[in-house]
Amino acid sequence: MSTTTNDVNSNSSGGDLGRYFLERSRLGSARGPCDMDEDEEAPTELNTLNSSGGFLVMSPDKLSVKYTSVNLHGHDVGVVQANRPAPVKRLVYYFEIFVKDAGTKGQIAIGFTSENFKMRRQPGWEANSCGYHGDDGMLYRGQGKGEAFGPTYTSGDIVGGGINYASQEFFFTKNGAVVGTAYKELKVSLFPTIAVHSQNEEVHVNFGQKPFAFDLKEFEAQERMKLQMTIEKISLPTNVSHGIVRSYLLHYGYEDTLGSFDMATKSTVPPIYIAQENGSDEHDIVYALNQRKVLRQLIRKGEIHDAFDKLREWYPQIVQDDKSATCFLLHCQKFIELVRVGALEEAVKYGRLELAKFFELPGYEDLVKDCVALLAYQQPKESSVGYLLEEAQREVVADAVNAMILSTNPNLKDSCGCLHSYLERLLSQLTACCLERRSLNGDQGEAFHLHKVLNTCKKAK
């Protein structure tokens, strides 16, 4: 192959491709659970500062309240909010109360209120609040007048209140069963709230510090199944999904799998041509399919020396600049493979020969340090740099080489097409749409995480 066709490591597109995969590799050190960025502090106790303290007594653990006065007026309510608002970046939020004593009138309420709620009013009596009341079983939503909702509740009952962010609804439970739901118009931060309003009423709150009476995990599973069923009702021609999967296999050089896939669907799926987009089509991703397959297999098996040899033979322009991001990733992977098999002395020699030159180059230092740090641990897989020994790291390097080879195609019009398959671009669009939908709901609800969806599907099977 001619080295003059496309000098990928010296032009801007090749450099950009290499830097993209270098950044992907560096992000490995920061990997955690797929929803780590969604972590929010949830309520853990009742707020002793923001309550109508003159009408109730709170326990030292801040998880139970008792109404000790005799209410003389409608505004003599003992109201208390949780110490934090309900977290919003999730599918469902839920908490429960146990009615230890319904008191003289059973005027207990559970619900949600805004931060500036009047703390001497029942939840649901004022704007920006919602409450399910025990004495009449009614639901109140920002007005003094309630609406028929569910059964009353009294001493010994466990009552729960929740927010379903997928459907944008409040829901309430009694003794482990859903009582009913109501549309949640409120987009403000809402605090779990309880109220007591007659003598000797006593309530204990469970923010999740012990198991709920209500099966929250099953409820969440059912809600996700509803979403999945809605998606599955969308009609998609078989040949369209076939074409998307086929383009993925082509893009990443899975030639053998592609052959099996084509054979299995040859007689059942009509052919489809994926329309040209951004100057790229199927001809671009068929380019050098066999060579890309061989190189991916070598890298995934950890045979980096052989991968270098093949690149020098087939695509010398990719490795002619030994300080390029692509060469750097390959050198790092060679070092990692030596550590993996316990050849530490050889790894040290290789590091001095091939990695030392990258220490002073901007953008490379962090990954070099992580590679070298592998030598400091007796069990490097269990260390903070153990991510380098995962299969995902090999995949990053294989993807980088795959993209660089695609970029040598003399007929390629857009180097961005080398980075992602059609399937991945669709998933990126799906993620963007889900985030936009959540934004329209006041940034409430789960973000879309592909790994979480795939894990859910695996468990369902």
Side-chain angles (χ1 to χ4, degrees):
M1 302 217 173
S2 172
T3 60
T4 61
T5 299
N6 195 352
D7 190 353
V8 293
N9 280 307
S10 61
N11 66 22
S12 59
S13 63
D16 289 342
L17 290 174
R19 283 190 290 273
Y20 168 80
F21 288 102
L22 177 60
E23 185 62 23
R24 261 186 63 184
S25 183
R26 284 164 48 194
L27 287 173
S29 62
R31 280 202 304 268
C34 62
D35 55 347
M36 188 66 75
D37 61 328
E38 299 299 309
D39 281 353
E40 298 173 278
E41 288 190 305
T44 55
E45 59 187 31
L46 298 170
N47 188 346
T48 57
L49 299 178
N50 193 20
S51 65
S52 49
F55 302 100
L56 52 80
V57 174
M58 193 176 302
S59 62
D61 64 4
K62 302 179 184 179
L63 291 173
S64 63
V65 292
K66 184 174 183 177
Y67 195 96
T68 54
S69 304
V70 178
N71 67 318
L72 301 175
H73 307 284
H75 57 260
D76 291 346
V77 184
V79 186
V80 60
Q81 293 178 329
N83 62 331
R84 300 187 186 103
V88 300
K89 295 180 179 179
R90 55 175 63 186
L91 181 66
V92 174
Y93 173 74
Y94 180 78
F95 77 108
E96 286 181 342
I97 62 171
F98 168 67
V99 182
K100 184 175 182 182
D101 193 330
T104 57
K105 297 181 180 179
Q107 295 176 327
I108 296 166
I110 180 174
F112 296 90
T113 59
S114 64
E115 185 174 11
N116 298 319
F117 182 75
K118 295 179 181 179
M119 298 307 292
R120 294 178 66 175
R121 301 284 286 165
Q122 288 271 17
W125 283 2
E126 298 289 335
N128 294 325
S129 69
C130 176
Y132 172 35
H133 292 209
D135 58 337
D136 56 15
M138 288 192 173
L139 183 74
Y140 293 79
R141 290 191 287 173
Q143 301 177 12
K145 184 179 179 180
E147 53 193 272
F149 186 70
T152 60
Y153 51 90
T154 187
S155 301
D157 287 328
I158 297 175
V159 186
I163 303 174
N164 183 338
Y165 292 110
S167 62
Q168 286 295 301
E169 291 178 319
F170 293 111
F171 68 96
F172 294 92
T173 69
K174 178 182 175 182
N175 297 327
V178 175
V179 170
T181 63
Y183 180 67
K184 185 180 78 67
E185 298 175 344
L186 310 175
K187 305 301 182 186
V188 297
S189 294
L190 294 170
F191 290 74
T193 304
I194 58 173
V196 285
H197 198 189
S198 73
Q199 193 171 27
N200 294 324
E201 289 177 359
E202 186 173 352
V203 173
H204 294 228
V205 188
N206 180 9
F207 289 118
Q209 68 270 21
K210 57 184 179 181
F212 293 126
F214 178 62
D215 192 339
L216 183 60
K217 288 187 176 180
E218 177 61 23
F219 180 77
E220 290 176 334
Q222 291 176 1
E223 288 304 304
R224 289 193 171 93
M225 185 58 68
K226 288 178 186 177
L227 294 173
Q228 184 64 31
M229 290 175 66
T230 301
I231 293 170
E232 290 178 358
K233 287 179 181 178
I234 300 172
S235 177
L236 185 67
T238 306
N239 59 347
V240 171
S241 56
H242 171 272
I244 292 170
V245 172
R246 193 171 189 279
S247 70
Y248 177 86
L249 298 174
L250 277 169
H251 180 91
Y252 284 106
Y254 296 114
E255 185 179 26
D256 297 339
T257 306
L258 177 65
S260 300
F261 182 74
D262 283 345
M263 184 66 68
T265 57
K266 187 176 181 180
S267 60
T268 58
V269 180
I272 183 172
Y273 175 75
I274 297 179
Q276 184 170 328
E277 177 188 325
N278 295 329
S280 63
D281 58 25
E282 186 171 296
H283 294 296
D284 294 335
I285 51 179
V286 172
Y287 175 78
L289 179 59
N290 183 259
Q291 290 91 337
R292 290 188 289 118
K293 178 197 78 171
V294 170
L295 284 160
R296 180 173 291 276
Q297 289 175 341
L298 289 172
I299 294 169
R300 292 180 74 181
K301 289 188 291 186
E303 297 173 6
I304 308 304
H305 180 79
D306 291 341
F308 258 125
D309 285 346
K310 291 295 184 185
L311 282 169
R312 293 185 183 106
E313 178 185 350
W314 293 337
Y315 303 98
Q317 67 270 44
I318 291 178
V319 292
Q320 68 181 6
D321 178 5
D322 198 41
K323 292 186 179 179
S324 68
T326 307
C327 285
F328 171 66
L329 288 172
L330 285 163
H331 285 310
C332 285
Q333 196 61 38
K334 173 66 175 177
F335 179 88
I336 292 165
E337 299 302 337
L338 291 170
V339 173
R340 190 192 305 274
V341 298
L344 301 186
E345 288 187 15
E346 190 177 347
V348 171
K349 292 177 182 177
Y350 191 84
R352 288 172 178 168
L353 179 66
E354 299 293 355
L355 295 187
K357 59 193 171 191
F358 291 99
F359 261 113
E360 304 301 322
L361 298 180
Y364 295 145
E365 185 179 0
D366 290 344
L367 189 54
V368 173
K369 286 182 177 179
D370 280 2
C371 287
V372 174
L374 288 169
L375 299 170
Y377 298 95
Q378 288 187 341
Q379 294 182 310
K381 269 192 176 182
E382 310 302 320
S383 72
S384 60
V385 291
Y387 75 96
L388 292 170
L389 294 167
E390 295 175 6
E391 290 301 314
Q393 184 63 23
R394 285 176 170 175
E395 292 292 345
V396 171
V397 180
D399 288 350
V401 171
N402 183 76
M404 297 303 290
I405 295 173
L406 286 173
S407 74
T408 66
N409 183 352
N411 298 316
L412 184 69
K413 299 179 180 67
D414 180 12
S415 62
C416 291
C418 303
L419 290 175
H420 304 294
S421 65
Y422 290 109
L423 176 59
E424 289 166 310
R425 283 177 252 178
L426 280 172
L427 290 170
S428 294
Q429 182 64 26
L430 174 60
T431 302
C433 289
C434 289
L435 289 172
E436 179 63 21
R437 180 187 176 197
R438 188 171 75 167
S439 176
L440 294 174
N441 286 329
D443 203 27
Q444 299 178 356
E446 285 184 308
F448 175 78
H449 292 292
L450 178 60
H451 288 93
K452 184 182 287 186
V453 174
L454 293 177
N455 288 336
T456 301
C457 292
K458 287 178 183 177
K459 291 176 183 177
K461 292 178 181 180

